[in-house]
Amino acid sequence: LELAGVPPWHPVDTMFGTMQLREFGPHDGPLVICIHGMMDNDFIRDEWNQVASGLAASGFHVLVPDFHSGPEQLRPGVLSGDDVRALVEDFALHLDGFVPARYRTVMAPKVAVLGKSWGSRMAAEAGASAQVVAVGLVVPPISEDDAGNLFRNIHGEVALAMVGDDKVAPIDRGDVYRKLLGDRATWIEAKTGGHRIVPDFV
């Protein structure tokens, strides 16, 4: 979906090297990072734009990195849990404007991380950081065994968004996810739309 006013990609230096990033919303708003799916195409890279625009309109500062544009270490299929946590904390240190710099030695900036498909696994991995206060897992194709290991380490609240006709991330796996997460989980269900960020999730 094309939206008017989508910010351009711009280069940002990270602890791993340079990657392309879109920034939505006021710099001094609470920080949200959106992680795209696995495939290297514009549809996947742009899939968070409508969500990011809506969050920006509500006062959030939203980062949408292009993981295909970064160093090999950050690429989908290569990026590790340790490295995604380090990257999220690096973004919080250098791109957050919500916590004034003079206070960051006593109060580290907090972050919400949203991920779709492959990105949902990375969001769950990021959730093990004490700086990540909430994660959103959209159509997560995470096995039951992997979910057990990943979800127990998430510190904050979790939103689970799944689609009834998704063949990649079957919705019945959501029952397992909710049992693992207990009362930390907020459930969002769409009837149709497949393996996408559907309008019900915006």
Side-chain angles (χ1 to χ4, degrees):
L1 178 64
E2 283 295 318
L3 293 172
V6 170
W9 295 105
H10 69 86
V12 62
D13 292 327
T14 76
M15 63 192 299
F16 299 101
T18 302
M19 67 190 308
Q20 296 292 314
L21 180 80
R22 278 186 170 135
E23 292 189 66
F24 297 73
H27 181 69
D28 60 354
L31 191 62
V32 179
I33 299 170
C34 298
I35 304 179
H36 59 66
M38 173 75 76
M39 302 302 291
D40 184 6
N41 63 59
D42 287 340
F43 178 82
I44 297 299
R45 273 186 285 275
D46 293 345
E47 206 170 5
W48 280 112
N49 287 352
Q50 192 170 9
V51 171
S53 294
L55 288 169
S58 297
F60 290 89
H61 179 204
V62 186
L63 310 181
V64 182
D66 175 5
F67 285 86
H68 294 288
S69 70
E72 184 68 24
Q73 191 173 355
L74 299 182
R75 301 289 173 90
V78 177
L79 182 62
S80 70
D82 287 339
D83 286 346
V84 77
R85 284 186 289 277
L87 182 66
V88 165
E89 291 167 7
D90 189 51
F91 282 151
L93 179 64
H94 297 290
L95 297 178
D96 174 78
F98 188 63
V99 176
R102 63 186 176 276
Y103 296 126
R104 289 185 196 164
T105 56
V106 293
M107 185 171 65
K110 302 301 184 185
V111 189
V113 182
L114 314 179
K116 181 255 179 173
S117 191
W118 167 80
S120 69
R121 184 185 188 90
M122 293 299 99
E125 291 276 14
S129 167
Q131 287 182 243
V132 176
V133 295
V135 298
L137 309 179
V138 178
V139 295
I142 300 172
S143 72
E144 294 180 20
D145 287 343
D146 285 351
N149 294 324
L150 279 172
F151 292 178
R152 72 167 57 98
N153 295 319
I154 295 174
H155 289 289
E157 300 293 314
V158 181
L160 283 167
M162 302 188 73
V163 183
D165 63 357
D166 187 348
K167 305 301 185 194
V168 179
I171 197 165
D172 57 3
R173 202 175 286 161
D175 294 334
V176 175
Y177 297 161
R178 284 186 283 181
K179 179 180 268 187
L180 289 167
L181 290 165
D183 59 9
R184 290 185 297 153
T186 297
W187 176 252
I188 306 165
E189 179 180 338
K191 298 300 182 191
T192 61
H195 195 63
R196 296 186 301 113
I197 301 173
V198 298
D200 305 60
F201 302 159
V202 176

